[in-house]
Amino acid sequence: MTTRATRGSRRRTVVALAVILSVLVAFVVRLIDIQVVSADEHVSQSLEHIGAGSTIPGQRGSIVDAGGTVLASSVMVYDAQLSPQVIMLVEEKDPALPWAEASEKIAAITGQTGDEVRALVANALAENPDSQYAPLKKGLNTEQYIALRDLGLGSYLSLKARETRVYPNGAVAGNVLGFLDNTGEAKAGVEQLEESCLAPVDGEETYRKGKDGVVIPGSEKVVDAVDGGTVQLTINSDLQWYLQQMIGEEAQKQGAKAGTVTVVEVATGKIRAAAEWPAMDPNDLDSSTPETRYSQIFHRDFEPGSTFKAITAAAAMEGAGLTPLSTVTASSRETFPNGAVVNDAFTHPAYNYTLAGGLIDSSNVALSKFGTMVAPEVRYDYLQKFGVGEKTLDFPSEVSGLLHPVSDWDSQSLYTTTFGQYFTVTAPQLAGAYQAIANGGEKIDLSLVESCTGADGTVVDAPKPQHEQIIAPQTAADLTRMLENVAVQGGNADRIQVPGYRVTSKTGTAQVSDGNGGYKAGVYYTSMVGFAPVDDPQYVVVVTLDEPTKVVSSAATASAFQKAMTQVMKTYRVMPSSVPMDELLPKFG
């Protein structure tokens, strides 16, 4: 028989089991809700900060010259700031290093005075008694950062790291190197041209955090940054430095607005110097003007004038079978059958000019007659072959020059195109044209970049330049001989001699556009181009002066050309000429 006590015990057990079962059922229902029914919602809530992390910045690559000298690099600098309010709170606690002493130590490191540092804090507090920020000094180097850190003032002195671009040689090749804007974006020059090599790939550190901000263990992932590569240029920075100093002096001596020197290696087409004045220092953009922040060597085009008479001669020799001794009769002023009038730069009677003599005396009339012995279409083709109208490197801001189609040539330009007018070129295009003459008629595309070396050491050479035989070797040899006679018999002969070396030369005096379809009166863009040594051509040198005022003719460039060619021969230790010059070519038939 079951007693009352026994029945009561069983009843309590059943109730307890029922309660436990109810709780378990509730837990199961809740788990199903959490894990199945409302799973997406709860995961979203619990992982509110999924994917949180930070960027790991990569470092922009360097630019070096042909010998490895660093021309541009990125370094870490530090911006220091103070918390005036915290300084006052610390002062109330009688610190081991009182603010009066601390400010002196800080100033000694940052290059300020103690009074200046204390004034920064006092002024900030005067404006806002609760001020948390007072800028101390920007652009501190690593040594200064360590010294400030070691003062142990981290409670109110903070240092924020940032990358900045520096150019160790200042303005040397500055216009070619280009610059970055204040956001770090490349805006000109090689910095922009080689962005794909120089630009880093930022890394990333990611992790998952719960709603309470705690990082979930094991969720951390790190993708390392990849630094930018190193761009090696063809430029010789020592030669570049000398030529920049020299052309600056020469341009100012001649009262010119600007001046340039371009040096190209004959056998390779590599640009060894691209010097200009005014020069831009990428470290100090504020000291330059918008016009001088870009390379005028690539950005400025001009009518080449008489320097392109050699190309007219090439077209006439190959298209009409002329030789250096072929002749025409030319006066200093002539009216042609179509009504065009052509003048020479000096008055003279009718001469029976040889082709060589027409180049030596730079007779516009003679070259007009020689040049029109071939069809205009033939001369147009030769201008194209020699690079007129095409960019040399696709350099940022580079212009292509202007070559009008033959259909646009009128009665006057039919002749002026024979002596370098009615089309424009850049200094590199002019250098490239003479590179082809010096190289036996083989034109090689100009180059400025040697290679890109990645952060992992992988070297990617620049694409090989194209080679094209644009004139016959004998034509190039005849042109070279005539251009040497220009250097020896021309009006600048005494001023351009380079002792020990046989040199070619040709001058150009171009009128300057007034922007309204005409020309400025009495001002010119002067140039001189040549190569040396004649018996083994190694380097082409182009010198230009923009509107010289002391000497307005191309003779203004003679001194700069002589100095530039002499320095190039010294820099590359070019052997002096060992083969004597051929007999002089006659000017008249």
Side-chain angles (χ1 to χ4, degrees):
M1 186 173 85
T2 303
T3 66
R4 182 178 297 176
T6 301
R7 289 197 299 272
S9 176
R10 287 179 176 176
R11 190 178 295 114
R12 287 193 296 272
T13 300
V14 170
V15 172
L17 288 173
V19 171
I20 292 172
L21 183 60
S22 298
V23 171
L24 287 174
V25 170
F27 272 117
V28 170
V29 172
R30 182 57 177 160
L31 283 173
I32 291 173
D33 177 66
I34 292 173
Q35 297 186 9
V36 180
V37 178
S38 304
D40 293 341
E41 178 184 351
H42 292 302
V43 169
S44 176
Q45 291 174 351
S46 64
L47 298 180
E48 184 174 318
H49 299 288
I50 189 170
S54 58
T55 298
I56 303 174
Q59 189 171 54
R60 189 174 179 82
S62 299
I63 303 173
V64 301
D65 80 343
T69 299
V70 176
L71 300 175
S73 64
S74 291
V75 298
M76 197 64 72
V77 296
Y78 303 86
D79 297 334
Q81 64 185 52
L82 297 164
S83 174
Q85 185 186 52
V86 175
I87 291 173
M88 295 300 99
L89 292 174
V90 170
E91 281 293 283
E92 293 174 0
K93 298 180 180 179
D94 191 22
L97 187 62
W99 173 236
E101 296 179 32
S103 57
E104 292 292 339
K105 291 182 178 292
I106 291 171
I109 296 169
T110 61
Q112 298 164 285
T113 66
D115 288 340
E116 289 174 336
V117 173
R118 289 186 290 272
L120 289 172
V121 172
N123 292 338
L125 289 171
E127 292 183 11
N128 177 13
D130 298 322
S131 174
Q132 295 283 351
Y133 173 73
L136 175 62
K137 194 70 175 286
K138 290 185 176 181
L140 299 172
N141 59 36
T142 301
E143 183 180 357
Q144 291 171 308
Y145 163 78
I146 293 173
L148 288 172
R149 183 198 63 188
D150 290 348
L151 292 177
L153 304 174
S155 61
Y156 58 75
L157 172 61
S158 62
L159 297 156
K160 184 178 180 180
R162 63 178 171 85
E163 185 181 271
T164 190
R165 201 69 168 157
V166 296
Y167 301 85
N169 290 315
V172 175
N175 301 75
V176 173
L177 295 174
F179 61 92
L180 309 182
D181 64 14
N182 55 14
T183 68
E185 182 180 352
K187 287 297 184 181
V190 175
E191 294 279 22
Q192 186 175 353
L193 179 69
E194 291 297 310
E195 176 69 12
S196 60
C197 175
L198 294 167
V201 177
D202 290 342
E204 186 179 25
E205 181 181 11
T206 60
Y207 44 83
R208 293 184 176 185
K209 297 171 70 175
K211 191 172 182 179
D212 57 359
V214 176
V215 175
I216 298 174
S219 66
E220 301 94 337
K221 292 183 180 179
V222 176
V223 177
D224 292 330
V226 178
D227 292 338
T230 297
V231 171
Q232 184 171 37
L233 303 181
T234 60
I235 294 289
N236 180 314
S237 58
D238 289 338
L239 177 62
Q240 178 81 20
W241 176 86
Y242 171 85
L243 293 178
Q244 281 189 207
Q245 303 303 311
M246 183 275 293
I247 195 60
E249 293 173 0
E250 289 291 326
Q252 292 175 78
K253 185 188 300 182
Q254 293 296 338
K257 295 167 61 176
T260 74
V261 183
T262 307
V263 179
V264 169
E265 194 169 70
V266 169
T268 64
K270 294 178 180 180
I271 298 174
R272 295 305 187 185
E276 53 192 281
W277 177 86
M280 183 266 291
D281 183 351
N283 294 308
D284 185 16
L285 290 178
D286 291 340
S287 66
S288 62
T289 64
E291 293 76 21
T292 60
R293 289 177 189 168
Y294 303 91
S295 176
Q296 294 303 305
I297 286 177
F298 294 97
H299 185 65
R300 173 67 188 269
D301 61 334
F302 54 93
E303 291 186 345
S306 298
T307 57
F308 256 69
K309 287 175 179 173
I311 283 61
T312 298
M317 286 191 289
E318 295 197 339
L322 303 187
T323 73
L325 301 182
S326 297
T327 61
V328 294
T329 300
S331 302
S332 57
R333 177 184 174 88
E334 291 198 21
T335 301
F336 287 88
N338 67 1
V341 177
V342 177
N343 298 287
D344 282 350
F346 64 101
T347 302
H348 62 82
Y351 288 146
N352 191 36
Y353 269 122
T354 62
L355 180 57
L359 289 176
I360 293 168
D361 279 358
S362 202
S363 169
N364 295 337
V365 176
L367 265 294
S368 292
K369 293 186 173 183
F370 283 123
T372 49
M373 290 181 182
V374 295
E377 291 77 11
V378 172
R379 286 195 286 117
Y380 179 90
D381 288 344
Y382 273 85
L383 291 174
Q384 280 193 317
K385 284 182 180 181
F386 277 91
V388 180
E390 293 185 3
K391 295 180 180 180
T392 57
L393 301 173
D394 203 20
F395 191 82
S397 80
E398 181 179 6
V399 296
S400 60
L402 180 62
L403 180 57
H404 297 280
V406 174
S407 58
D408 289 349
W409 295 11
D410 60 17
S411 58
Q412 192 69 32
S413 54
L414 175 68
Y415 297 100
T416 58
T417 48
T418 66
F419 49 87
Q421 293 184 6
Y422 199 59
F423 63 91
T424 63
V425 300
T426 62
Q429 287 173 333
L430 180 55
Y434 274 70
Q435 175 276 328
I437 297 172
N439 200 39
E442 182 185 38
K443 191 175 190 298
I444 302 175
D445 286 348
L446 302 190
S447 60
L448 183 64
V449 176
E450 291 276 13
S451 63
C452 170
T453 302
D456 61 355
T458 302
V459 179
V460 179
D461 292 330
K464 292 184 178 180
Q466 292 185 347
H467 295 230
E468 182 183 1
Q469 192 75 35
I470 60 173
I471 56 174
Q474 185 57 53
T475 304
D478 288 341
L479 286 171
T480 297
R481 186 180 178 192
M482 288 191 287
L483 290 168
E484 182 178 17
N485 273 264
V486 172
V488 172
Q489 299 188 58
N492 293 303
D494 293 338
R495 292 188 288 271
I496 63 171
Q497 290 182 7
V498 180
Y501 297 90
R502 292 167 57 191
V503 178
T504 69
S505 76
K506 192 72 189 80
T507 59
T509 306
Q511 292 176 287
V512 179
S513 171
D514 61 7
N516 298 311
Y519 293 107
K520 294 181 180 179
V523 295
Y524 301 94
Y525 193 93
T526 64
S527 60
M528 183 176 288
V529 58
F531 52 85
V534 170
D535 46 327
D536 183 20
Q538 297 290 311
Y539 294 95
V540 175
V541 171
V542 175
V543 175
T544 71
L545 290 176
D546 188 359
E547 299 185 21
T549 55
K550 182 177 180 181
V551 177
V552 298
S553 70
S554 55
T557 59
S559 175
F561 178 84
Q562 194 276 340
K563 291 177 181 177
M565 186 65 80
T566 299
Q567 188 63 33
V568 170
M569 296 296 104
K570 289 180 179 178
T571 297
Y572 289 104
R573 299 181 180 179
V574 177
M575 292 295 293
S577 296
S578 57
V579 178
M581 180 182 178
D582 292 333
E583 62 179 314
L584 295 178
L585 289 169
K587 290 169 56 175
F588 311 114

